[in-house]
Amino acid sequence: MASFYGFEPKSRLFLGTAQYPSPAILADAVKASGVEIVTVSLRREAGEGGAGQAFWSLIRDLGVRVLPNTAGCHGVKEAVTTAQMAREVFGTNWIKLEVIGEDDTLQPDVVGLIEAARILTKDGFEVFPYTTEDLVVGGRLLDAGCEVLMPWGAPIGSGRGLNNVYGLRSMRAHFPGVPLVVDAGIGLPSHAAQAMELGYDAILLNTAVAKAGDPVLMAQAFAKAIEAGHQAFQAQPIEARDMAAPSTPVMGKAFLS
């Protein structure tokens, strides 16, 4: 199993905690999926009048590792400040770093992302950067101190799956020893399995489970698909080809004249 800053979870599924129909359904989905890492937004926890305390108690009771995020941040200063606040609230150096650069697609501002990652790693944070599949950006993030890369599959919440399979495959090949997590855009278990078949180490998703008709059943489906995709990668699948190849050999076949 890949190591994420020294932590080796048994589950390769990371689950977001927003948009669920109820806290009880969220808890059931987490339990059903077997996830050990969940993402939590500081904005949800730090509401007025102690709002969010019941939610935080629920997360603690699940016994999972919390990965706070800087969701909704559009600049370096905002992201860094949010991360520092999250460390105080959640008591962890882990941070999922988001610096959004475009409102319609929620595409990362990769320039700001690299700058914020450098600042936070120097401050002792262990950064999980939400990025694109750009190889140069990936290299800059590693130079900035990140030990994990989390390229998007597609825009957040779009459910489109893997928009750029070539780019994701290239990133896996270019950074063979780096833990890679596909983050955002996954809509179906088959999308998650496809990412794992490329050799990715984990999948982070939220909307596909939280907004499903049955979030608990969908969480189970994703857990199974991710494990199947990982096993397929380990089994070394056959290469695709343009022409047919008979599965039954013709040598020894009787010819009738």
Side-chain angles (χ1 to χ4, degrees):
M1 182 62 194
S3 174
F4 299 92
Y5 294 102
F7 181 63
E8 298 183 8
K10 295 179 182 178
S11 171
R12 296 176 181 272
L13 173 61
F14 301 174
L15 203 56
T17 56
Q19 305 184 75
Y20 286 81
S22 71
I25 291 177
L26 164 61
D28 288 344
V30 170
K31 293 173 184 176
S33 66
V35 301
E36 298 165 75
I37 298 174
V38 299
T39 61
V40 178
S41 170
L42 176 68
R43 285 170 169 79
R44 179 166 187 173
E45 174 59 24
E48 274 187 38
Q53 291 302 317
F55 170 77
W56 182 217
S57 296
L58 174 114
I59 296 298
R60 283 197 299 261
D61 290 344
L62 290 172
V64 292
R65 186 80 179 254
V66 172
L67 175 59
N69 65 47
T70 62
C73 292
H74 286 72
V76 173
K77 183 177 180 180
E78 183 184 13
V80 169
T81 301
T82 300
Q84 292 168 339
M85 293 172 62
R87 178 161 61 182
E88 295 299 317
V89 171
F90 298 110
T92 177
N93 286 326
W94 276 19
I95 192 71
K96 178 191 170 187
L97 180 60
E98 297 183 23
V99 182
I100 302 302
E102 204 280 322
D103 287 334
D104 290 332
T105 63
L106 299 180
Q107 180 169 329
D109 171 359
V110 295
V111 176
L113 180 68
I114 295 167
E115 182 181 351
R118 183 174 292 110
I119 293 170
L120 290 172
T121 54
K122 287 182 178 178
D123 193 25
F125 282 89
E126 295 172 326
V127 179
F128 293 69
Y130 163 61
T131 184
T132 66
E133 67 278 15
D134 188 289
L135 299 182
V136 176
V137 173
R140 296 288 189 272
L141 287 167
L142 296 176
D143 292 342
C146 298
E147 296 181 13
V148 178
L149 297 175
M150 303 209 311
W152 64 346
I156 293 171
S158 68
R160 295 181 58 85
L162 308 184
N163 274 353
N164 185 0
V165 174
Y166 170 80
L168 291 170
R169 182 183 289 114
S170 297
M171 178 166 270
R172 177 70 287 174
H174 198 73
F175 302 113
V178 176
L180 299 182
V181 181
V182 171
D183 174 20
I186 298 295
L188 293 170
S190 56
H191 298 157
Q194 182 184 18
M196 298 305 294
E197 288 166 1
L198 296 177
Y200 276 71
D201 297 291
I203 305 294
L204 194 162
L205 56 87
N206 187 166
T207 308
V209 169
K211 303 296 283 186
D214 187 335
V216 177
L217 188 60
M218 187 62 79
Q220 291 176 320
F222 268 105
K224 293 175 181 177
I226 287 169
E227 187 58 32
H230 175 64
Q231 289 180 349
F233 174 74
Q234 289 184 310
Q236 300 177 12
I238 64 171
E239 294 290 333
R241 54 185 295 160
D242 293 330
M243 303 297 292
S247 56
T248 302
V250 296
M251 185 174 292
K253 175 182 176 182
F255 289 91
L256 302 177
S257 58

